[in-house]
Amino acid sequence: MTEAPAAPKARRRRHDREIIALAVPAFGALVAEPLFVMVDSAVVGHLGTPQLAGLAVASALLLTAVSIFVFLAYATTAAVARRVGAGDLAAAIRQGMDGIWLALLLGIAVIAATLPTAPWLVQIFGASDTAAPYATTYLRISSLGIPAMLIVLAATGVLRGLQDTRTPLYVAIGGFAANAALNAGLVYGAGLGIAGSAWGTVIAQCAMAAAYLVVVVRGARRHGASLRPDAAGIRASAQAGVPLLIRTLSLRAVLMIATAVAARLGDTEIAAHQIVLSLWSLMAFALDAIAIAGQAIIGRYLGADDAEGARQACRRMVQWGVASGVVLGILVVASRPFLLPVFTSDHAVHDTLLPALLVVAVSQPIAGVVFVLDGVLMGAGDGSYLAGAMLVTLAVFAPVALLIPTFGGGLTALWWAMTLMMTVRMLTLWLRMRSGRWLVTGATR
C-alpha cells in the first residue's frame, strides 16, 4: 500500500536533480555575458564620457547582432539532445559540428557586412559627433570577434545537448577573467584607449571559442565523429534555425516597441522604464536557466522514444517555473526600498517606477511558465510553432502598446501591456503543450 505513491515521488526527485544539475551552471554562464559589457564599461568609463558613449552604441549593436543568432545555441541543443537520447553520441557530435560550421560562416558574413558599414550603423543608432569615432573604432575591431562569439553559442548548444552545462560555466568564468585583465592591460598599460578594450574582448572571445572547440574535437575523436564541414548538415542546421530566428526577431520587436513607447512618454518614464527593464532582464536569466535545462532534458527523452517521460518532465519544470516566478516576485516587492536608491535618487523616477515594478512582480509566475514552455518546445524542435506563436503575440502587443500615449497611459500601463504580451505567450504555449503535438519522438524530428 505504501509503494504506490513512491514511484511518482521518485520520478519528481529524479527530475528535480536533473533540472538543478543543468539549470544552476546554466544560470552562471548566462550572467557572465552581460558582465563582459559591464567590465568594458567600467574600464572605458574612466577614459571619458565620449568614449563611454561610443562604447554604449557599439556594444548595443554587437549585442543585437549576436542575440539575433541565439538560435545557434537553441537549435543545436535540441538536435544534439535527441541524438544523445537515441544513444548515438557520434551522430550527436556530428550534428553539433554542423551548427559550429554554420556559426563560422554566419560570423564571416557579419564581419563582411559590418566593417564597411560601421560609420553608418553608428550614425543610425544616434551616436553624437564626439562619440561616433570611438563607437566606429570599437565596432570595427570587436566585430572581428563575432565568428568566435557565434561559435561559442553553437558550441554551448552542443554541450547543453550532451547534458553538460558545467563546462560552459567554467569557460564563461575564464572568459570573464581574461576579458577583465586584457581590458585593463590594453586600455591603460598599453595605452590603446577604447581600441584596447575592443581588442581585449576579441581575444577573450577567441580564447573561449578555442576552449569549446578543444572539448568538442576531443569528443568527436573519442566517438569517431567527422569534423569536416558537411553541406547538407549545415543547410539542415540553418533550416532548423529559421523559425527560431523569426521568434527571436519578433521578441526583439516587442522590446523595441516598448522602449520607443516609453521614450514618447517622457524623460522620467524612459529612465524608469530602463530600470524596470534591467530588473526584468535579470530575472529572465534565472527563468531562462530552467528553460535551458528543459531544452536538454526534453530533447533527450524524445530522442529515447520516451514521450511519457518528456511529458512528466515538462509538468515538473512548469511547477519549477511557477515556483521560481513566485519567489522572484516576492523578492522584487520585498527589496523595493533597497533597489530604488541604488538606481536613482530622482523622486519623480521613484514615483513612476514603483507601480510599474509591482506589475512586474505580479507577472513573474506567468513569466516562469512562459520561459519553461518555451524551452520545452525548443527542446522538442517545435520551432515553427514558436515562430507563429510569437508573431501572434507581437500582433496583439503592438497596437495596445502604441495606443498607450494616445489614451494618456503611463509607464504602468505600458508594463500592463507587457504583462498582456507574456499572458498571450503563455496561452499559446500552454495550448501547444496540452495538445501533445510537440511529442514527436525519434533521433530526428
Side-chain angles (χ1 to χ4, degrees):
M1 297 294 290
T2 58
E3 293 181 3
K9 288 182 180 179
R11 282 197 299 269
R12 285 197 298 271
R13 285 196 295 269
R14 186 178 71 249
H15 291 318
D16 289 346
R17 285 194 298 269
E18 288 182 330
I19 293 167
I20 292 170
L22 291 170
V24 173
F27 175 70
L30 287 170
V31 171
E33 189 60 37
L35 289 178
F36 269 67
V37 179
M38 288 180 62
V39 167
D40 289 1
S41 300
V43 173
V44 172
H46 291 286
L47 294 174
T49 300
Q51 290 89 333
L52 184 58
L55 172 66
V57 171
S59 62
L61 282 162
L62 284 168
L63 289 175
T64 298
V66 173
S67 67
I68 287 172
F69 296 113
V70 74
F71 71 83
L72 290 166
Y74 294 158
T76 304
T77 298
V80 171
R82 277 184 175 268
R83 297 286 191 179
V84 169
D88 192 347
L89 289 178
I93 296 173
R94 173 66 262 176
Q95 193 107 38
M97 284 304 305
D98 293 334
I100 290 173
W101 281 112
L102 175 63
L104 178 61
L105 293 174
L106 289 173
I108 293 171
V110 173
I111 289 178
T114 303
L115 288 178
T117 61
W120 176 76
L121 290 171
V122 165
Q123 184 180 13
I124 290 296
F125 262 62
S128 67
D129 291 340
T130 54
Y134 298 110
T136 302
T137 297
Y138 189 92
L139 181 60
R140 278 182 165 155
I141 295 172
S142 50
S143 68
L144 300 176
I146 286 179
M149 295 179 192
L150 300 189
I151 288 173
V152 166
L153 282 177
T156 300
V158 176
L159 296 181
R160 288 174 182 171
L162 293 170
Q163 316 297 297
D164 176 11
T165 56
R166 288 183 179 273
T167 300
L169 173 61
Y170 300 148
V171 173
I173 292 172
F176 170 74
N179 182 60
L182 286 165
N183 264 262
L186 294 175
V187 171
Y188 298 115
L192 296 179
I194 195 170
S197 177
W199 281 117
T201 300
V202 170
I203 295 169
Q205 291 286 353
C206 289
M208 290 172 67
Y212 275 117
L213 290 176
V214 167
V215 174
V216 174
V217 168
R218 283 179 179 172
R221 288 175 176 170
R222 187 182 310 121
H223 297 287
S226 173
L227 297 172
R228 295 178 180 177
D230 177 66
I234 295 171
R235 188 163 53 250
S237 294
Q239 290 171 348
V242 168
L244 294 179
L245 175 62
I246 294 171
R247 167 206 166 273
T248 300
L249 290 174
S250 301
L251 182 56
R252 296 293 301 183
V254 165
L255 298 177
M256 289 176 65
I257 289 170
T259 300
V261 169
R264 289 174 60 189
L265 295 175
D267 289 347
T268 300
E269 284 76 8
I270 186 61
H273 174 74
Q274 185 59 36
I275 295 170
V276 177
L277 187 62
S278 297
L279 292 170
W280 186 80
S281 300
L282 179 62
M283 290 184 287
F285 283 128
L287 298 174
D288 203 27
I290 304 173
I292 287 169
Q295 293 171 31
I297 293 169
I298 295 299
R300 192 189 73 232
Y301 273 114
L302 294 178
D305 293 324
D306 188 357
E308 183 56 29
R311 192 190 300 274
Q312 291 171 1
C314 171
R315 189 179 300 118
R316 188 58 177 164
M317 280 183 281
V318 169
Q319 293 170 355
W320 269 79
V322 173
S324 299
V326 170
V327 170
L328 289 172
I330 292 172
L331 286 174
V332 168
V333 174
S335 61
R336 283 176 302 145
F338 312 103
L339 280 175
L340 299 185
V342 169
F343 288 100
T344 179
S345 58
D346 190 325
H347 292 292
V349 175
H350 281 193
D351 294 340
T352 304
L353 175 64
L354 188 57
L357 206 54
L358 291 175
V359 174
V360 170
V362 169
S363 69
Q364 284 309 293
I366 297 173
V369 176
V370 169
F371 276 86
V372 167
L373 291 182
D374 212 34
V376 165
L377 295 184
M378 283 182 190
D382 205 9
S384 296
Y385 184 84
L386 289 172
M390 198 61 227
L391 286 171
V392 169
T393 302
L394 175 60
V396 172
F397 170 78
V400 173
L402 292 172
L403 286 172
I404 286 173
T406 303
F407 287 96
L411 187 67
T412 304
L414 175 60
W415 276 94
W416 276 120
M418 289 288 284
T419 302
L420 170 66
M421 178 270 294
M422 294 299 286
T423 303
V424 173
R425 287 186 73 190
M426 183 181 71
L427 291 174
T428 56
L429 298 176
W430 183 264
L431 288 172
R432 186 63 167 182
M433 188 272 288
R434 295 280 295 181
S435 74
R437 294 177 183 173
W438 56 279
L439 290 165
V440 180
T441 59
T444 58
R445 182 178 173 89

